[in-house]
């Protein structure tokens, strides 16, 4: 294998690793949050572009009402499910840096489940992420402080980067070995 070929292989490996890292970071977030009854928890959501409408949904409610709904920077309580009345507020009321995170107050066992954050403009919505809330009973062995978050995209991205680094290492080893063999044959 010529030096030019080996350089092209290294170039392609580096290009692929950059693309995979970008793809993993651009993907949707799948977060987990844990707490116990009475805790306040933050459901994270970060918009990627400007939006005028925000809605937090809990699909297992099987209702036309939402956990939280804002349109034109105004909270629309008439669209809020009764079980979330007066318990949900924006983490940042000004939504600086497109922060659409909400604080769910005084959680209870019925709040456990998956929440979806959508942002939009002009009636079109985009799913930004899903947050799974687990509510532990006091004394439960898996009880935590309410801030335990998992990021599947990060785990996948790091795994992919690890595989790529191993591949680059193997290619580098082959290059080194080939050069050593060529120098010894002279």
């Amino acid at each position: 294998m010529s030096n030019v070929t080996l350089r092209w292989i290294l170039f392609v490996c580096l290009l692929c690793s950059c693309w995979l890292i970008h793809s993993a970071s651009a993907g949707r977030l799948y977060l987990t949050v844990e707490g116990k009854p009475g805790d306040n928890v933050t459901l994270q959501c970060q918009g990627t572009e400007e939006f005028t409408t925000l809605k937090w949904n809990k699909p297992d409610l099987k209702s036309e009402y939402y956990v939280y709904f804002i349109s034109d920077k105004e909270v629309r309580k008439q669209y809020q499910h009764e079980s979330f009345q007066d318990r949900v507020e924006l983490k940042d009321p000004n939504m600086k840096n497109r922060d659409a995170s909400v604080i769910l107050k005084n959680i209870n066992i019925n709040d456990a489940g998956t929440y979806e954050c959508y942002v939009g403009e002009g009636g079109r919505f985009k799913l930004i992420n899903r947050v799974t809330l687990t509510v532990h009973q006091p004394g439960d062995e898996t009880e935590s402080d309410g801030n335990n978050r998992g990021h599947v995209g990060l785990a996948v991205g790091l795994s992919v980067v690890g595989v790529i680094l191993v591949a680059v290492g193997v290619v580098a080893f082959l290059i080194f070995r080939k050069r050593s063999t060529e120098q010894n044959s002279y």
Side-chain angles (χ1 to χ4, degrees):
M1 203 181 293
S2 72
N3 282 340
V4 173
T5 304
L6 291 174
R7 286 182 183 158
W8 272 107
I9 290 172
L10 281 173
F11 173 75
V12 169
C13 286
L14 289 173
L15 190 64
C16 287
S17 65
C18 290
W19 177 78
L20 288 170
I21 290 169
H22 171 73
S23 297
S25 66
R28 289 192 178 102
L29 297 177
Y30 297 91
L31 305 170
T32 60
V33 177
E34 297 180 6
K36 58 185 182 300
D39 284 351
N40 296 342
V41 294
T42 301
L43 306 177
Q44 298 286 338
C45 182
Q46 185 70 43
T48 56
E49 50 198 52
E50 294 299 321
F51 57 89
T52 58
T53 306
L54 161 67
K55 63 182 180 179
W56 274 93
N57 187 27
K58 187 175 184 221
D60 61 344
L61 282 177
K62 296 185 174 118
S63 168
E64 72 243 24
Y65 297 103
Y66 299 99
V67 173
Y68 195 71
F69 190 89
I70 291 180
S71 180
D72 297 321
K73 298 188 179 188
E74 197 173 309
V75 178
R76 308 293 179 160
K77 290 195 175 216
Q78 69 269 28
Y79 299 117
Q80 190 173 35
H81 191 276
E82 62 185 26
S83 67
F84 294 99
Q85 292 283 329
D86 301 319
R87 294 196 310 127
V88 184
E89 66 183 37
L90 281 172
K91 179 179 171 187
D92 177 4
N94 297 320
M95 294 189 284
K96 290 180 187 165
N97 300 319
R98 302 177 189 110
D99 187 358
S101 303
V102 294
I103 298 170
L104 179 56
K105 299 177 181 180
N106 193 23
I107 63 171
N108 60 62
I109 198 72
N110 296 324
D111 292 330
T114 299
Y115 293 79
E116 297 173 334
C117 174
Y118 293 86
V119 298
E121 183 113 27
R124 296 180 189 195
F125 291 96
K126 178 180 177 183
L127 175 64
I128 300 299
N129 70 320
R130 289 184 176 96
V131 179
T132 300
L133 172 62
T134 304
V135 181
H136 299 286
Q137 292 298 328
D140 191 349
E141 291 176 19
T142 57
E143 186 178 322
S144 73
D145 63 1
N147 292 320
N148 185 18
R149 293 183 198 102
H151 191 307
V152 174
L154 180 61
V156 171
L158 289 176
S159 299
V160 169
V161 169
V163 168
I164 290 170
L165 288 175
V166 168
V168 169
V170 168
V171 170
F173 171 77
L174 291 173
I175 291 170
F176 177 77
R177 186 171 154 203
K178 180 174 178 10
R179 286 190 179 164
S180 294
T181 305
E182 288 174 354
Q183 286 176 355
N184 290 338
S185 64
Y186 291 116

